[in-house]
Amino acid sequence: MPDQDQLHAMRHSCAHILATAVQRLWPEARFGVGPVVENGFYYDIDLGTDKISEEDFGRIETEMQAIVKDNQTFERFEMPIDEAISWATEANQPYKAELLNDLKRAGTTVAKDLNADELGTIATGDAQVENVSFYKNGAFTDLCRGPHVESTGKVGAFKLQRVGGVYWRGKDSNPQMQRVYGVAFATPKELRQYLDILEEARKRDHRKLGQELDLFVFSEMVGSGLPMFTPRGTVIREELAAFSNSLRQRYGFEKVWTPNITKIELYETSGHWAKFKDELFLVTSQETSDKMVMKPMNCPHHTRIYNSQPRSYRDMPVRYLETTTDYRDEKSGELGGLNRVRALTQDDSHVFCRPDQLEAEIDNLLAAANDLYATVDMQLRVRLSYRDDTDAYLGSAELWASAQDQLKTAVIKNGLNYFEQAGEAAFYGPKIDFMVTDAIGREFQVATVQLDFVQPERFSLDYTAEDGSRQTPVMIHCALLGSIERFMSVYIEHTAGKFPVWTAPEQVRIITLNQEDETVNFANDVWQQAKNMGVRATVDNAGESVGKRIRAAELYKIPYTIVLGQKEIEGGQVTPRIRKDLSVNDEVVALPITNFLQTVLAESLTRTLKSAL
Amino acid sequence: MPDQDQLHAMRHSCAHILATAVQRLWPEARFGVGPVVENGFYYDIDLGTDKISEEDFGRIETEMQAIVKDNQTFERFEMPIDEAISWATEANQPYKAELLNDLKRAGTTVAKDLNADELGTIATGDAQVENVSFYKNGAFTDLCRGPHVESTGKVGAFKLQRVGGVYWRGKDSNPQMQRVYGVAFATPKELRQYLDILEEARKRDHRKLGQELDLFVFSEMVGSGLPMFTPRGTVIREELAAFSNSLRQRYGFEKVWTPNITKIELYETSGHWAKFKDELFLVTSQETSDKMVMKPMNCPHHTRIYNSQPRSYRDMPVRYLETTTDYRDEKSGELGGLNRVRALTQDDSHVFCRPDQLEAEIDNLLAAANDLYATVDMQLRVRLSYRDDTDAYLGSAELWASAQDQLKTAVIKNGLNYFEQAGEAAFYGPKIDFMVTDAIGREFQVATVQLDFVQPERFSLDYTAEDGSRQTPVMIHCALLGSIERFMSVYIEHTAGKFPVWTAPEQVRIITLNQEDETVNFANDVWQQAKNMGVRATVDNAGESVGKRIRAAELYKIPYTIVLGQKEIEGGQVTPRIRKDLSVNDEVVALPITNFLQTVLAESLTRTLKSAL
């Protein structure tokens, strides 16, 4: 297995091979930059009036494979910069010439393998450039810092992915070029695995499923990054939030409620205003002179509730829970589906406790997180984010040492897969970051547990200790799901929309075998019985054939479908169709309708992942 | 019983008697205006450097009673306006002189009994003023339109209430005066009843109880009109909202979720922007050019969800439910407790239906309202608010006639106490306004059911009718509680903080008879059992005496208190103390702890108002 440097060299060499192939097919091609990116590489190309389309990928890849087969050596050589400029001009490579001229003007001692992002660094150099380096393979020569693999035969497996339009150096006053992307891995097997995951991710894309399964909608009139949830999507939101809440209510958390806005004063006190003022939605009152903002987090509001009563050591810990929507003014370009939104609902909670209570409180929260992620069938690992030796942290060193120790003890006690990282703490305290792996192996950071030694001081929070002295509590911030919207984007893709019974918006689809009154009435009775029990069901007695209606239920990925006709009316039994991924038995037997509904209810309440039928 | 005109004359005569008494006590007193207000009257008085305080009320009232006893006749007479001005100047009544001069300048044919509010009307007159009318009783003469009672002996019963500072004619550049308020009724009995209600209302003031019972808090840093709810207050909010939701979910309403903000475009389309743009909180995005506002209502958002799918006549009605917080930019001066807030959470819902489905849908909503207000023990009556014959209404006359008819049928079907009022409809449709009477006889408007023929058109909503044509649905807006914050202000005062078991933040207080481990552990076990069952309980095993701890539970108005000691540990039985208003039996018998907790749970789930013990 190659290390990361080796893989980088392979991918970078792929970019040169791509350019070599393109130059063979379009000798007039002019090249921009060709760097390595995550999982692959790209090259910016200008063919003049001609254009590369994805239909050309076949012949480009054939040419690339021929170059690989040639096993051309990558030869490095240097040239004085003025000579290099002449070379570029003669070779009809105006973009390379421009880079070299900039390099000469700005001055730096090393000729980099330039790409748009790196151009900025040129301007800071001050030494005189003398030589720049080149790499040559076969007939293709490129200005390049390297390194490369030894020869074109050693680049592993690659595949061109897509082509898009870009402006040279990202400026829309510059000429337009085409950027051809490819992916590359050390072995064909790794490439195939990656392409399989890409294809699987495409099928599971939560934006696509969100529409197909009727879960959420966006509207131009409302604005970007502001999803609205349909009845089906709202079921999932509410089930997830209720579960997260119940896990913490078990440990004494109590619900509170705070508004979505506040005067700026609250954040001036907390310190958030100085840090985040450019990322907040500003709120203007037309009736008063209040200067307000939408809350981007809930801790300062919660300190106001804590502070509304005198607290004694006996009252501690005080634990608040609130599922509430925060607003962050994200740039439009960064918004996509539920992954990044401007209205993010947090399953937030805050503990105010004595320093000696930290470990037990963290322990409870980790137990809750463990339970939650096991239930949604995601692998959880945590990062213990500690301070480092710099003076970027507030609070006494002893408090930090003790707190970090207690975090670690609680993590170990909960049997969590963890790693430690110094320098990753917040300035106000150490934290635990939750990372989950989804069904197709992607890792996401979802939520955190954070200690906070700063806000209690800034808000002058206190409690009376046993000896009568006034002490400052420690705060613990914790969300289990994090942003419910973002978690849902992960969850929808993790399940591919095949929700287990407890989060399935519709648990049972009832299909009538015919349109006769007796059948329709019977179906409605079963529906009413389900509803009264708390099972989410709907009746489909519309004009389509039974086959088509079963197919419609399958498209909605409904866990159970039952078809009701004369036999079911007479026998009072059903043989449910079970969604394939839920089923554990090859053959499903008929059972009384009430038993069937009770089973569905029990599966929902116990949040099982498989059918008991 | 006097009619309203008679009562008005009595109260107005009281104002003159007050001025007569003040003139006797302070001969230099200069008078402003003295109108009738709800339940009484006031007079604006300027004593120069001297001031009336509430300590003077005794001797003023004694003087007033003497004037009543004199039974002085109220004599009406007229005077040419210039003569009247001379009279006022000679009598050292500069405020009256100012009014008369204004009257002369502005011109109007009738000399009104002027008060600050009515001054505006003077400016609109154009006829020349000739005579103005006066009333005289004993030695006191006042510029006055009347009418009065015959003589001072016929004014009924009165009482001075309070004195406050005001600016002459409400302008802060004018001299400051004192406003002395009194209440007056036809009989001493009615006065006493009114004063009793006032006293009772003072005791029940939800702002006072909110603090005493630790239900909600305000913070200067967060802003006025923005309450935050403690764990105790949040229980009440959530129980009320959950009940309201469950009543509508029974009729097929489904929860949806929408963000608290939107681009202005949404309200430009709905028509709200043109009407309400000055009452909204404006939201500024710093990262984009989006012009946004906080939502003051939810209907336009809900149309976006309706519109996200094609709908057929078979899908109708589509019913959405959302408990969500709306923001309205109220003036600071108008904010007080939960009664009027800037963050108001609505238990909102919208039906999109065919015109022929209106009656059944209204019927369901009224049944839900009936159930809700019976459960909270408030008398409900409704106003049917119809259109009148002006052209201020949108939508066809036939649609209106049919809709009003269907509203009335549903109201009658639900056996509701109702009255009809033309000209009270919204421009977009007729409505039903809910009015409730609380425990001390005060009536509040709480929520509405509104038909809407306009928004569906403006948003181009449609459904496919059975004949394949595209039709426009009708919308029904309905909240049962209205603003949950405002409803809570009524509910807290209605119950005087003695919440029934289902909304009681704490249902059972568990008190230990001693601090021994065995007792404390037993109490904790009972608490855990209660918690697992879903009964809200807390343990008080703090250092105070049992008596003091029982008293503390009483102050929190907790429905049940149980004291646990050796006897309870051994016998497994408790004799609960029941809050007096809940109790129906004189003697409470001991019962097994599990039975006791089951009874509490059952009372909570069935929302009973009385104890079953």
Side-chain angles (χ1 to χ4, degrees):
Chain A
M1 192 135 174
D3 63 18
Q4 285 305 307
D5 288 349
Q6 176 68 7
L7 192 57
H8 190 279
M10 291 169 97
R11 286 171 176 161
H12 186 52
S13 299
C14 282
H16 279 230
I17 293 171
L18 166 62
T20 310
V22 167
Q23 200 179 44
R24 283 192 188 175
L25 295 168
W26 289 275
E28 73 288 7
R30 288 170 296 184
F31 295 99
V33 293
V36 170
V37 290
E38 199 184 353
N39 301 312
F41 60 91
Y42 69 75
Y43 220 117
D44 288 347
I45 300 164
D46 178 1
L47 296 188
T49 51
D50 205 356
K51 290 277 169 282
I52 294 174
S53 80
E54 295 198 5
E55 286 166 19
D56 298 314
F57 283 4
R59 57 187 182 126
I60 299 174
E61 282 175 342
T62 304
E63 206 59 50
M64 289 172 78
Q65 294 300 352
I67 295 160
V68 168
K69 211 174 165 198
D70 277 357
N71 201 18
Q72 303 165 349
T73 305
F74 283 102
E75 292 171 49
R76 183 180 187 282
F77 62 92
E78 294 193 1
M79 219 187 265
I81 190 148
D82 289 323
E83 220 173 288
I85 292 169
S86 304
W87 162 83
T89 311
E90 278 161 31
N92 191 27
Q93 292 299 342
Y95 302 111
K96 302 283 181 191
E98 183 181 328
L99 294 178
L100 287 162
N101 276 310
D102 281 3
L103 196 59
K104 185 181 172 188
R105 259 199 309 281
T108 180
T109 49
V110 182
K112 289 194 173 188
D113 185 7
L114 297 152
N115 68 36
D117 288 340
E118 288 168 343
L119 289 173
T121 61
I122 293 179
T124 61
D126 52 6
Q128 199 58 41
V129 177
E130 292 172 1
N131 288 321
V132 291
S133 66
F134 283 81
Y135 276 83
K136 182 174 184 303
N137 61 293
F140 180 76
T141 300
D142 203 355
L143 169 69
C144 178
R145 188 177 52 160
H148 281 281
V149 292
E150 204 178 294
S151 61
T152 56
K154 301 192 169 168
V155 292
F158 58 83
K159 191 169 185 347
L160 298 184
Q161 282 287 101
R162 58 196 169 89
V163 56
V166 292
Y167 291 104
W168 167 237
R169 297 174 102 165
K171 269 194 209 155
D172 62 9
S173 54
N174 281 345
Q176 254 208 314
M177 307 184 77
Q178 286 190 288
R179 180 167 292 173
V180 178
Y181 289 91
V183 288
F185 286 86
T187 63
K189 190 181 162 197
E190 285 169 279
L191 174 63
R192 201 169 50 246
Q193 280 172 343
Y194 176 75
L195 292 175
D196 285 349
I197 288 176
L198 267 196
E199 173 58 17
E200 188 54 42
R202 197 191 56 75
K203 279 194 227 155
R204 290 165 180 248
D205 187 321
H206 76 278
R207 289 166 296 191
K208 180 172 157 281
L209 287 173
Q211 195 159 34
E212 286 171 11
L213 302 178
D214 187 20
L215 302 178
F216 54 88
V217 303
F218 286 93
S219 160
E220 276 295 314
M221 284 190 213
V222 173
S224 54
L226 296 170
M228 289 169 285
F229 289 79
T230 63
R232 287 176 183 272
T234 304
V235 167
I236 304 174
R237 280 181 74 94
E238 296 237 324
E239 287 288 344
L240 290 171
F243 182 41
S244 163
N245 290 349
S246 72
L247 286 171
R248 279 168 297 170
Q249 284 169 322
R250 184 188 293 169
Y251 297 112
F253 283 82
E254 296 181 296
K255 283 189 185 178
V256 296
W257 187 94
T258 65
N260 301 90
I261 58 177
T262 175
K263 279 165 49 181
I264 285 168
E265 209 180 321
L266 186 71
Y267 297 141
E268 284 170 345
T269 305
S270 70
H272 289 106
W273 181 246
K275 262 186 105 69
F276 298 113
K277 64 168 173 277
D278 297 335
E279 295 160 38
L280 303 185
F281 282 110
L282 307 178
V283 176
T284 308
S285 166
Q286 303 187 82
E287 298 284 4
T288 68
S289 59
D290 289 350
K291 292 199 185 319
M292 310 182 92
V293 285
M294 305 206 67
K295 67 175 176 182
M297 83 288 291
N298 316 301
C299 27
H301 279 90
H302 288 187
T303 68
R304 302 299 78 213
I305 300 178
Y306 175 88
N307 217 36
S308 68
Q309 296 277 335
R311 310 284 173 183
S312 104
Y313 69 98
R314 286 174 169 282
D315 303 324
M316 311 297 279
V318 170
R319 306 181 190 92
Y320 297 145
L321 180 71
E322 187 178 15
T323 300
T324 183
T325 306
D326 298 333
Y327 288 83
R328 294 180 190 173
D329 191 7
E330 306 279 356
K331 290 180 180 65
S332 286
E334 292 169 354
L335 304 170
L338 301 181
N339 201 31
R340 190 180 278 260
V341 290
R342 296 158 102 184
L344 50 133
T345 308
Q346 297 209 58
D347 60 330
D348 207 3
S349 49
H350 293 102
V351 180
F352 302 84
C353 69
R354 307 191 305 255
D356 64 290
Q357 294 173 320
L358 272 178
E359 188 178 317
E361 292 303 307
I362 299 290
D363 186 18
N364 291 348
L365 289 168
L366 292 180
N370 237 345
D371 203 341
L372 188 141
Y373 287 100
T375 303
V376 296
D377 199 24
M378 290 180 190
Q379 272 178 22
L380 176 65
R381 67 173 192 144
V382 303
R383 176 173 66 198
L384 283 161
S385 299
Y386 298 152
R387 62 172 293 170
D388 55 26
D389 288 338
T390 65
D391 56 1
Y393 306 93
L394 296 177
S396 79
E398 297 76 47
L399 191 53
W400 274 83
S402 155
Q404 294 182 174
D405 218 45
Q406 293 184 71
L407 287 187
K408 188 171 173 179
T409 305
V411 162
I412 291 169
K413 190 173 159 197
N414 277 279
L416 285 164
N417 183 356
Y418 73 95
F419 65 103
E420 298 166 280
Q421 207 158 339
E424 284 291 319
F427 72 93
Y428 50 76
K431 58 185 174 129
I432 301 174
D433 297 306
F434 295 157
M435 265 110 96
V436 295
T437 305
D438 79 355
I440 57 173
R442 296 172 300 178
E443 191 167 64
F444 301 90
Q445 191 185 319
V446 281
T448 59
V449 178
Q450 304 193 4
L451 303 195
D452 187 343
F453 309 135
V454 173
Q455 279 194 66
E457 296 243 357
R458 296 190 75 125
F459 280 110
S460 306
L461 306 185
D462 62 14
Y463 64 93
T464 310
E466 200 159 3
D467 64 7
S469 64
R470 306 305 295 165
Q471 297 291 334
T472 304
V474 179
M475 270 178 90
I476 308 171
H477 309 255
C478 175
L480 295 182
L481 298 166
S483 148
I484 290 180
E485 289 77 11
R486 183 172 143 77
F487 181 82
M488 273 181 74
S489 77
V490 174
Y491 186 64
I492 292 169
E493 300 191 3
H494 172 63
T495 58
K498 291 173 191 151
F499 302 110
V501 172
W502 73 282
T503 51
E506 185 180 341
Q507 297 167 325
V508 178
R509 175 69 58 96
I510 303 165
I511 291 175
T512 55
L513 196 59
N514 54 54
Q515 325 303 324
E516 282 164 31
D517 280 356
E518 191 189 4
T519 315
V520 172
N521 290 342
F522 183 68
N524 286 335
D525 288 349
V526 171
W527 171 81
Q528 189 65 55
Q529 188 186 354
K531 187 174 177 184
N532 294 346
M533 288 169 66
V535 170
R536 299 185 288 267
T538 60
V539 174
D540 185 357
N541 62 354
E544 303 285 354
S545 72
V546 172
K548 274 195 179 168
R549 284 181 281 150
I550 288 175
R551 178 82 192 116
E554 281 171 0
L555 285 176
Y556 269 109
K557 305 181 199 291
I558 296 163
Y560 295 102
T561 304
I562 54 175
V563 180
L564 301 181
Q566 202 55 36
K567 194 181 94 188
E568 284 73 21
I569 297 174
E570 281 164 16
Q573 297 217 328
V574 285
T575 310
R577 300 175 62 94
I578 305 175
R579 202 181 63 210
K580 216 178 282 173
D581 62 292
L582 291 175
S583 183
V584 287
N585 294 315
D586 287 343
E587 202 158 334
V588 180
V589 294
L591 76 171
I593 290 172
T594 302
N595 293 16
F596 164 64
L597 293 175
Q598 280 166 346
T599 303
V600 176
L601 181 64
E603 287 173 5
S604 182
L605 294 176
T606 56
R607 303 185 179 85
T608 57
L609 294 172
K610 292 289 177 187
S611 171
L613 297 179
Chain B
M1 190 135 174
D3 62 19
Q4 286 304 306
D5 288 350
Q6 176 68 7
L7 191 58
H8 190 278
M10 291 169 95
R11 287 173 174 160
H12 187 51
S13 300
C14 281
H16 281 230
I17 293 170
L18 166 62
T20 311
V22 168
Q23 200 178 45
R24 284 193 188 172
L25 296 167
W26 289 274
E28 73 288 6
R30 289 170 295 184
F31 296 98
V33 294
V36 170
V37 290
E38 199 184 353
N39 301 312
F41 58 92
Y42 69 74
Y43 220 116
D44 288 347
I45 300 164
D46 178 1
L47 295 188
T49 53
D50 205 356
K51 289 280 169 283
I52 293 174
S53 80
E54 295 198 3
E55 286 167 17
D56 299 313
F57 282 4
R59 56 185 183 127
I60 298 173
E61 281 175 343
T62 304
E63 207 58 50
M64 287 172 77
Q65 292 301 351
I67 295 160
V68 168
K69 211 173 166 197
D70 278 359
N71 202 17
Q72 302 165 352
T73 306
F74 283 102
E75 292 171 48
R76 184 182 188 281
F77 61 93
E78 294 194 358
M79 218 186 267
I81 191 150
D82 289 324
E83 221 172 283
I85 292 169
S86 304
W87 163 84
T89 310
E90 279 161 30
N92 191 28
Q93 292 297 343
Y95 301 112
K96 302 282 181 191
E98 183 181 327
L99 293 178
L100 287 161
N101 276 310
D102 281 1
L103 198 57
K104 186 181 170 187
R105 258 201 308 284
T108 181
T109 48
V110 182
K112 289 196 174 186
D113 186 7
L114 297 153
N115 67 37
D117 288 340
E118 287 169 343
L119 289 172
T121 62
I122 294 179
T124 61
D126 53 5
Q128 199 56 41
V129 177
E130 293 172 1
N131 290 321
V132 292
S133 66
F134 284 81
Y135 276 84
K136 182 176 185 304
N137 60 292
F140 180 75
T141 300
D142 203 353
L143 167 68
C144 178
R145 187 177 54 159
H148 281 282
V149 292
E150 205 177 293
S151 62
T152 56
K154 301 193 169 166
V155 293
F158 57 82
K159 191 169 184 349
L160 298 183
Q161 282 288 101
R162 60 196 167 89
V163 57
V166 292
Y167 291 103
W168 167 237
R169 297 175 102 165
K171 270 196 208 153
D172 62 9
S173 53
N174 281 345
Q176 254 209 313
M177 307 186 77
Q178 288 190 287
R179 181 167 292 173
V180 179
Y181 290 91
V183 289
F185 287 86
T187 64
K189 189 181 162 196
E190 286 168 278
L191 175 63
R192 202 170 49 247
Q193 282 172 341
Y194 175 76
L195 293 175
D196 285 349
I197 288 176
L198 268 195
E199 173 58 16
E200 187 54 41
R202 198 191 55 75
K203 279 194 226 156
R204 291 166 181 248
D205 188 321
H206 77 277
R207 289 165 296 192
K208 180 171 157 285
L209 287 173
Q211 195 158 35
E212 286 171 11
L213 302 179
D214 187 19
L215 302 178
F216 54 88
V217 304
F218 287 94
S219 161
E220 276 295 315
M221 283 191 214
V222 173
S224 55
L226 296 170
M228 288 168 286
F229 289 79
T230 64
R232 287 176 183 274
T234 305
V235 167
I236 303 174
R237 281 181 73 95
E238 296 237 324
E239 287 288 345
L240 290 170
F243 182 40
S244 163
N245 290 349
S246 72
L247 287 170
R248 280 169 296 170
Q249 284 169 324
R250 186 188 293 169
Y251 296 113
F253 283 82
E254 296 181 296
K255 285 190 185 175
V256 295
W257 188 94
T258 65
N260 300 90
I261 58 176
T262 176
K263 278 163 52 181
I264 285 169
E265 209 181 320
L266 186 71
Y267 297 142
E268 285 171 344
T269 305
S270 70
H272 289 105
W273 181 246
K275 263 185 106 70
F276 299 114
K277 65 166 173 279
D278 297 336
E279 294 161 39
L280 303 185
F281 283 111
L282 307 179
V283 176
T284 308
S285 166
Q286 304 188 82
E287 298 284 4
T288 68
S289 59
D290 290 350
K291 292 198 186 319
M292 310 182 92
V293 285
M294 304 205 67
K295 67 174 176 183
M297 82 288 291
N298 316 302
C299 26
H301 279 90
H302 288 186
T303 67
R304 301 300 78 213
I305 300 177
Y306 175 87
N307 217 36
S308 69
Q309 295 277 334
R311 310 285 174 183
S312 103
Y313 69 98
R314 284 174 171 280
D315 304 324
M316 311 296 279
V318 170
R319 307 180 189 92
Y320 297 145
L321 179 72
E322 187 178 15
T323 301
T324 182
T325 306
D326 298 332
Y327 288 83
R328 294 180 190 173
D329 191 8
E330 306 279 356
K331 290 179 181 64
S332 285
E334 292 169 354
L335 304 170
L338 301 182
N339 201 31
R340 191 180 277 261
V341 289
R342 296 159 103 184
L344 51 132
T345 307
Q346 298 209 59
D347 60 329
D348 207 2
S349 48
H350 293 101
V351 180
F352 301 84
C353 68
R354 307 190 306 254
D356 64 289
Q357 294 173 321
L358 272 178
E359 189 179 316
E361 292 303 308
I362 300 290
D363 186 18
N364 291 348
L365 289 167
L366 292 179
N370 236 346
D371 202 343
L372 188 142
Y373 287 101
T375 303
V376 296
D377 200 25
M378 290 180 190
Q379 273 177 22
L380 176 65
R381 68 173 190 142
V382 303
R383 177 173 67 198
L384 283 162
S385 298
Y386 298 152
R387 62 172 293 170
D388 56 24
D389 289 338
T390 64
D391 57 0
Y393 305 94
L394 295 177
S396 79
E398 297 76 46
L399 190 54
W400 274 82
S402 154
Q404 293 183 174
D405 218 45
Q406 293 184 72
L407 287 187
K408 188 172 174 180
T409 306
V411 162
I412 292 170
K413 189 172 162 201
N414 277 279
L416 286 165
N417 184 357
Y418 73 96
F419 65 103
E420 297 166 280
Q421 207 158 337
E424 285 290 320
F427 72 93
Y428 50 76
K431 59 185 175 130
I432 301 175
D433 296 306
F434 295 157
M435 266 111 93
V436 295
T437 305
D438 79 355
I440 58 174
R442 297 173 299 179
E443 191 167 64
F444 301 90
Q445 191 186 318
V446 280
T448 59
V449 177
Q450 304 193 6
L451 304 194
D452 187 342
F453 308 136
V454 173
Q455 279 195 65
E457 296 243 357
R458 296 189 75 126
F459 280 111
S460 308
L461 306 185
D462 62 15
Y463 63 93
T464 310
E466 201 160 2
D467 64 7
S469 64
R470 306 304 296 166
Q471 298 291 332
T472 304
V474 179
M475 268 178 91
I476 307 172
H477 309 254
C478 176
L480 295 182
L481 298 165
S483 147
I484 291 180
E485 289 78 12
R486 185 172 141 78
F487 180 83
M488 274 182 74
S489 78
V490 174
Y491 186 65
I492 292 168
E493 300 191 2
H494 172 63
T495 58
K498 292 173 190 149
F499 302 109
V501 172
W502 72 281
T503 52
E506 184 179 341
Q507 297 167 325
V508 178
R509 176 70 58 98
I510 303 164
I511 292 175
T512 55
L513 196 59
N514 54 55
Q515 324 304 326
E516 283 163 30
D517 280 355
E518 190 188 5
T519 316
V520 172
N521 289 342
F522 183 67
N524 286 336
D525 288 349
V526 172
W527 171 82
Q528 189 66 54
Q529 188 186 352
K531 187 174 176 184
N532 293 347
M533 287 170 66
V535 169
R536 298 185 288 267
T538 60
V539 175
D540 185 357
N541 62 355
E544 303 284 353
S545 73
V546 172
K548 275 198 179 165
R549 283 180 282 152
I550 288 175
R551 178 81 192 116
E554 281 171 1
L555 286 176
Y556 269 109
K557 305 181 197 292
I558 295 164
Y560 295 103
T561 304
I562 54 175
V563 180
L564 302 180
Q566 200 56 36
K567 195 180 94 188
E568 286 72 22
I569 296 172
E570 281 164 16
Q573 297 217 328
V574 284
T575 310
R577 300 174 62 94
I578 305 175
R579 202 181 62 210
K580 217 179 280 171
D581 63 291
L582 291 175
S583 183
V584 288
N585 294 316
D586 287 343
E587 202 159 333
V588 179
V589 292
L591 75 171
I593 290 172
T594 301
N595 293 16
F596 164 65
L597 292 176
Q598 280 166 347
T599 303
V600 176
L601 181 65
E603 287 173 5
S604 182
L605 294 176
T606 56
R607 304 186 179 85
T608 58
L609 295 171
K610 292 290 177 188
S611 172
L613 296 179

